[in-house]
PDB file of all heavy atoms in Angstrom:
ATOM      1  N   GLY H  69      69.799 102.377 112.213  1.00 73.00           N
ATOM      2  CA  GLY H  69      68.955 103.568 112.071  1.00 73.00           C
ATOM      3  C   GLY H  69      67.577 103.373 112.699  1.00 73.00           C
ATOM      4  O   GLY H  69      67.070 102.216 112.753  1.00 73.00           O
ATOM      5  N   ARG H  70      66.956 104.449 113.098  1.00 72.00           N
ATOM      6  CA  ARG H  70      65.615 104.353 113.673  1.00 72.00           C
ATOM      7  C   ARG H  70      64.604 104.178 112.558  1.00 72.00           C
ATOM      8  O   ARG H  70      64.547 104.991 111.604  1.00 72.00           O
ATOM      9  CB  ARG H  70      65.311 105.656 114.449  1.00 72.00           C
ATOM     10  CG  ARG H  70      63.972 105.640 115.175  1.00 72.00           C
ATOM     11  CD  ARG H  70      63.726 106.983 115.838  1.00 72.00           C
ATOM     12  NE  ARG H  70      64.648 107.182 116.922  1.00 72.00           N
ATOM     13  CZ  ARG H  70      64.438 106.778 118.180  1.00 72.00           C
ATOM     14  NH1 ARG H  70      63.314 106.133 118.472  1.00 72.00           N
ATOM     15  NH2 ARG H  70      65.333 107.037 119.107  1.00 72.00           N
ATOM     16  N   PRO H  71      63.744 103.152 112.629  1.00 77.00           N
ATOM     17  CA  PRO H  71      62.753 102.920 111.571  1.00 77.00           C
ATOM     18  C   PRO H  71      61.795 104.097 111.443  1.00 77.00           C
ATOM     19  O   PRO H  71      61.373 104.679 112.410  1.00 77.00           O
ATOM     20  CB  PRO H  71      61.989 101.662 112.084  1.00 77.00           C
ATOM     21  CG  PRO H  71      62.963 100.972 113.003  1.00 77.00           C
ATOM     22  CD  PRO H  71      63.754 102.059 113.654  1.00 77.00           C
ATOM     23  N   LYS H  72      61.484 104.444 110.187  1.00 76.00           N
ATOM     24  CA  LYS H  72      60.576 105.539 109.958  1.00 76.00           C
ATOM     25  C   LYS H  72      59.142 105.091 109.944  1.00 76.00           C
ATOM     26  O   LYS H  72      58.837 103.988 109.401  1.00 76.00           O
ATOM     27  CB  LYS H  72      60.916 106.193 108.626  1.00 76.00           C
ATOM     28  CG  LYS H  72      62.307 106.828 108.556  1.00 76.00           C
ATOM     29  CD  LYS H  72      62.572 107.423 107.209  1.00 76.00           C
ATOM     30  CE  LYS H  72      63.997 108.015 107.139  1.00 76.00           C
ATOM     31  NZ  LYS H  72      64.282 108.597 105.807  1.00 76.00           N
ATOM     32  N   ALA H  73      58.284 105.894 110.534  1.00 69.00           N
ATOM     33  CA  ALA H  73      56.876 105.497 110.612  1.00 69.00           C
ATOM     34  C   ALA H  73      56.196 105.795 109.274  1.00 69.00           C
ATOM     35  O   ALA H  73      56.572 106.734 108.516  1.00 69.00           O
ATOM     36  CB  ALA H  73      56.175 106.286 111.727  1.00 69.00           C
ATOM     37  N   ASN H  74      55.219 105.008 108.920  1.00 73.00           N
ATOM     38  CA  ASN H  74      54.352 105.218 107.737  1.00 73.00           C
ATOM     39  C   ASN H  74      55.136 105.195 106.429  1.00 73.00           C
ATOM     40  O   ASN H  74      54.767 105.951 105.471  1.00 73.00           O
ATOM     41  CB  ASN H  74      53.580 106.551 107.872  1.00 73.00           C
ATOM     42  CG  ASN H  74      52.750 106.612 109.107  1.00 73.00           C
ATOM     43  OD1 ASN H  74      52.174 105.623 109.566  1.00 73.00           O
ATOM     44  ND2 ASN H  74      52.692 107.794 109.746  1.00 73.00           N
ATOM     45  N   ILE H  75      56.185 104.439 106.298  1.00 78.00           N
ATOM     46  CA  ILE H  75      56.889 104.315 105.072  1.00 78.00           C
ATOM     47  C   ILE H  75      56.212 103.249 104.204  1.00 78.00           C
ATOM     48  O   ILE H  75      55.941 102.146 104.644  1.00 78.00           O
ATOM     49  CB  ILE H  75      58.402 103.957 105.285  1.00 78.00           C
ATOM     50  CG1 ILE H  75      59.141 103.923 103.978  1.00 78.00           C
ATOM     51  CG2 ILE H  75      58.535 102.652 106.080  1.00 78.00           C
ATOM     52  CD1 ILE H  75      60.649 103.797 104.127  1.00 78.00           C
ATOM     53  N   ASN H  76      55.963 103.599 102.963  1.00 83.00           N
ATOM     54  CA  ASN H  76      55.240 102.697 102.029  1.00 83.00           C
ATOM     55  C   ASN H  76      56.296 102.146 101.058  1.00 83.00           C
ATOM     56  O   ASN H  76      56.592 102.745 100.013  1.00 83.00           O
ATOM     57  CB  ASN H  76      54.163 103.494 101.270  1.00 83.00           C
ATOM     58  CG  ASN H  76      53.231 102.557 100.508  1.00 83.00           C
ATOM     59  OD1 ASN H  76      53.637 101.428 100.119  1.00 83.00           O
ATOM     60  ND2 ASN H  76      52.021 102.979 100.296  1.00 83.00           N
ATOM     61  N   ILE H  77      56.779 100.948 101.367  1.00 88.00           N
ATOM     62  CA  ILE H  77      57.830 100.336 100.511  1.00 88.00           C
ATOM     63  C   ILE H  77      57.300  99.999  99.160  1.00 88.00           C
ATOM     64  O   ILE H  77      58.007 100.210  98.141  1.00 88.00           O
ATOM     65  CB  ILE H  77      58.397  99.089 101.241  1.00 88.00           C
ATOM     66  CG1 ILE H  77      59.152  99.495 102.542  1.00 88.00           C
ATOM     67  CG2 ILE H  77      59.340  98.325 100.305  1.00 88.00           C
ATOM     68  CD1 ILE H  77      59.702  98.341 103.314  1.00 88.00           C
ATOM     69  N   LEU H  80      57.370 102.960  96.863  1.00 92.00           N
ATOM     70  CA  LEU H  80      58.750 103.260  96.383  1.00 92.00           C
ATOM     71  C   LEU H  80      59.192 102.278  95.322  1.00 92.00           C
ATOM     72  O   LEU H  80      59.822 102.701  94.316  1.00 92.00           O
ATOM     73  CB  LEU H  80      59.707 103.219  97.579  1.00 92.00           C
ATOM     74  CG  LEU H  80      59.514 104.290  98.676  1.00 92.00           C
ATOM     75  CD1 LEU H  80      60.429 104.012  99.858  1.00 92.00           C
ATOM     76  CD2 LEU H  80      59.779 105.663  98.119  1.00 92.00           C
ATOM     77  N   HIS H 147      67.601 101.627 107.903  1.00 89.00           N
ATOM     78  CA  HIS H 147      66.635 102.708 108.092  1.00 89.00           C
ATOM     79  C   HIS H 147      67.233 104.115 108.033  1.00 89.00           C
ATOM     80  O   HIS H 147      66.522 105.087 108.287  1.00 89.00           O
ATOM     81  CB  HIS H 147      65.905 102.494 109.392  1.00 89.00           C
ATOM     82  CG  HIS H 147      65.319 101.126 109.562  1.00 89.00           C
ATOM     83  ND1 HIS H 147      64.259 100.684 108.819  1.00 89.00           N
ATOM     84  CD2 HIS H 147      65.656 100.069 110.349  1.00 89.00           C
ATOM     85  CE1 HIS H 147      63.956  99.424 109.111  1.00 89.00           C
ATOM     86  NE2 HIS H 147      64.806  99.030 110.066  1.00 89.00           N
TER      87      HIS H 147
END
Side-chain angles (χ1 to χ4, degrees):
R70 184 183 292 272
K72 296 180 181 179
N74 303 323
I75 183 170
N76 192 333
I77 294 179
L80 295 173
H147 308 292

